[in-house]
Amino acid sequence: MKIVGIEAIPFAIPYAKPLRFASGEVHIAEHVLVRVHTDEGLTGTAEAPPRPYTYGETQESIVAVIEKIFAPQILGLTPLEREAVHERLDRTVGNPAAKSAVDMALWDILGQAAGMPVSGLLGGYTDRMRVSHMVGFAPVGDMVADAIRIRDTYGITTFKVKVGRKPYTDDVAACRGLREALGPDIDLYIDGNRGWSASDSARALREMADLGLTFAEELCPADDVLSRRWLVRQSTVPFIADESATGAAEVTRELLGGSATAISIKTARTGFTGSQRVLHLCEGLGVETVLGNQIDGQIGTLCAVAFGAAHRSASLHAGELSNFLDMTDDLLTEPLTIESGTLHIREGAGLGIDIDPDKLARYRLDT
Ligand code: MUC
Ligand code: MG
């Protein structure tokens, strides 16, 4: 079975509720639907969500790199030759979302060809994950109301609070408001998207010492090398590297350099193949991971839960699988549902991604 075509289809779906955080904000999901076609009629599907302010990818750059650079290099290979595919994709540095979508679409083909779910092929640990929800910047009262609505509607009891604003005391007040409103049984952790200095981060962590946070993520830039190590040494909770650790080599550098003590794994950034490398590296080093979210739509979320549920260590903590709830619509024929704070993988062969043709026609930008 050979790869005979790759489509990169840009589409745009507005958010009902934009997400705001220290390194940017998202009002419209301007993603790319990636379809890999084979000569035996199987099609693998995945979604690439560009994050321009983080990795420099845009919707246009993803379409261009797939059509002009990646497709010509991998057409004619078989979906089993994943090492050869990655060798060719990795001649080009960067472009993580574009590479990941191609990788996950290839796994979808493998699952369909084998008649088995991708989650089972990856590891088959369980069929579901507990869900963690991100609370973006807003006045404290709105953040609290949002978290209560999400808890009461979907049964979600883990929240990642976006921090990194100046003054840092606004974020401390927001976290305190959330803890007071939600009570002691909720898991709360924070993500600064590099917005604070190391010294403000240290002060904020001290002032929130009584809030029972479970993790602190990317509070200050990893490029502030010595001050970040200084901060991580004094953190009393695992310090997650997210955008500073986008692959196995960076994960190794950040962990061995003392600039992180836990790792965020995002299938939108490392696909299934690279995410497995990172996960196994972390397992070998005895480092905790959290399944992150690159503000994925439902297709990306289905990929993320397939990966997280496949692995014991990836499913220990709640996975960030709920950003799609804030979108006005999506492309799946059968929408994802979160109940009792839990999201299930799709049974059946491959990833179980079934695209609604009318929705794709409505939201695609290339026709
Ligand atoms: C996160 O964990 O940082 C915001 C930017 C991005 O790339 O992902 C989100 C969430
Ligand atoms: Mg993050």
Side-chain angles (χ1 to χ4, degrees), residues 21 51 134 160 162 191 193 217 242 266 293 295:
F21 44 98
R51 293 289 151 250
M134 272 179 221
K160 172 157 113 171
K162 287 298 192 181
D191 181 3
N193 289 110
E217 176 171 326
D242 176 15
K266 293 180 173 171
N293 194 315
I295 322 179

Side-chain angles (χ1 to χ4, degrees), residues 55 194 216-233 238-264 269 278 281-282 285 287-288:
Y55 310 108
R194 300 160 282 146
E217 176 171 326
E218 212 76 86
L219 298 184
C220 69
D223 280 357
D224 296 349
V225 180
L226 293 184
S227 52
R228 167 104 159 213
R229 286 183 198 171
W230 167 85
L231 172 67
V232 171
R233 267 201 305 274
F239 192 101
I240 300 174
D242 176 15
E243 57 266 45
S244 62
T246 63
E250 284 177 357
V251 166
T252 307
R253 278 199 287 269
E254 295 309 309
L255 290 172
L256 296 190
S259 293
T261 43
I263 295 295
S264 172
R269 182 171 64 202
V278 169
L281 172 65
C282 290
L285 292 167
V287 163
E288 288 184 70

Side-chain angles (χ1 to χ4, degrees), residues 76-89:
L77 292 174
T78 80
L80 275 179
E81 293 174 291
R82 289 193 314 288
E83 284 288 304
V85 168
H86 280 284
E87 182 183 39
R88 294 179 190 193
L89 300 186

Side-chain angles (χ1 to χ4, degrees), residues 4-329:
V4 292
I6 306 185
E7 282 180 285
I9 304 170
F11 65 93
I13 302 177
Y15 273 83
K17 186 174 160 302
L19 182 69
R20 299 187 169 84
F21 44 98
S23 56
E25 47 188 70
V26 176
H27 296 258
I28 303 175
E30 294 171 309
H31 297 180
V32 179
L33 181 71
V34 175
R35 283 172 156 166
V36 177
H37 300 284
T38 68
D39 60 353
E40 294 191 8
L42 294 182
T43 297
T45 305
E47 171 180 26
R51 293 289 151 250
Y53 35 81
T54 312
Y55 310 108
E57 287 182 292
T58 63
Q59 194 177 42
E60 294 81 2
S61 82
I62 288 174
V63 172
V65 80
I66 288 178
E67 288 180 349
K68 298 203 170 116
I69 301 177
F70 295 161
Q73 296 193 77
I74 65 172
L75 292 184
L77 292 174
T78 80
L80 275 179
E81 293 174 291
R82 289 193 314 288
E83 284 288 304
V85 168
H86 280 284
E87 182 183 39
R88 294 179 190 193
L89 300 186
D90 289 344
R91 289 171 184 160
T92 308
V93 299
N95 298 282
K99 290 176 182 171
S100 298
V102 171
D103 176 75
M104 293 190 286
L106 288 174
W107 276 93
D108 189 22
I109 292 170
L110 293 180
Q112 292 176 47
M116 294 176 187
V118 169
S119 199
L121 293 177
L122 287 167
Y125 179 67
T126 179
D127 64 352
R128 70 196 71 180
M129 279 192 82
R130 280 186 302 119
V131 175
S132 161
H133 185 72
M134 272 179 221
V135 183
F137 293 167
V140 184
D142 294 355
M143 292 171 76
V144 169
D146 183 38
I148 288 174
R149 176 181 64 87
I150 293 286
R151 182 196 61 188
D152 294 349
T153 312
Y154 303 103
I156 292 174
T157 55
T158 303
F159 294 92
K160 172 157 113 171
V161 189
K162 287 298 192 181
V163 299
R165 287 179 285 193
K166 295 173 189 78
Y168 73 88
T169 43
D170 287 353
D171 293 327
V172 171
C175 292
R176 190 164 295 287
L178 283 160
R179 175 56 84 203
E180 281 166 7
L182 296 167
D185 297 335
I186 299 283
D187 280 332
L188 277 185
Y189 58 111
I190 54 173
D191 181 3
N193 289 110
R194 300 160 282 146
W196 286 336
S197 63
S199 54
D200 277 352
S201 305
R203 292 174 71 185
L205 284 176
R206 272 200 303 277
E207 289 171 32
M208 291 190 284
D210 60 325
L211 297 187
L213 300 177
T214 43
F215 297 104
E217 176 171 326
E218 212 76 86
L219 298 184
C220 69
D223 280 357
D224 296 349
V225 180
L226 293 184
S227 52
R228 167 104 159 213
R229 286 183 198 171
W230 167 85
L231 172 67
V232 171
R233 267 201 305 274
Q234 62 187 277
S235 175
T236 54
V237 291
F239 192 101
I240 300 174
D242 176 15
E243 57 266 45
S244 62
T246 63
E250 284 177 357
V251 166
T252 307
R253 278 199 287 269
E254 295 309 309
L255 290 172
L256 296 190
S259 293
T261 43
I263 295 295
S264 172
I265 296 184
K266 293 180 173 171
T267 48
R269 182 171 64 202
T270 33
F272 295 141
T273 307
S275 295
Q276 237 174 10
R277 287 188 180 144
V278 169
L279 184 73
H280 292 158
L281 172 65
C282 290
E283 286 177 359
L285 292 167
V287 163
E288 288 184 70
T289 58
V290 173
L291 187 77
N293 194 315
Q294 198 162 300
I295 322 179
D296 303 305
Q298 295 196 16
I299 299 168
T301 304
L302 204 45
C303 291
V305 73
F307 181 84
H311 300 95
R312 186 195 60 81
S313 63
S315 53
L316 277 177
H317 299 292
E320 295 163 12
L321 296 163
S322 65
N323 288 78
F324 73 86
L325 293 174
D326 291 331
M327 288 169 65
T328 50
D329 201 0

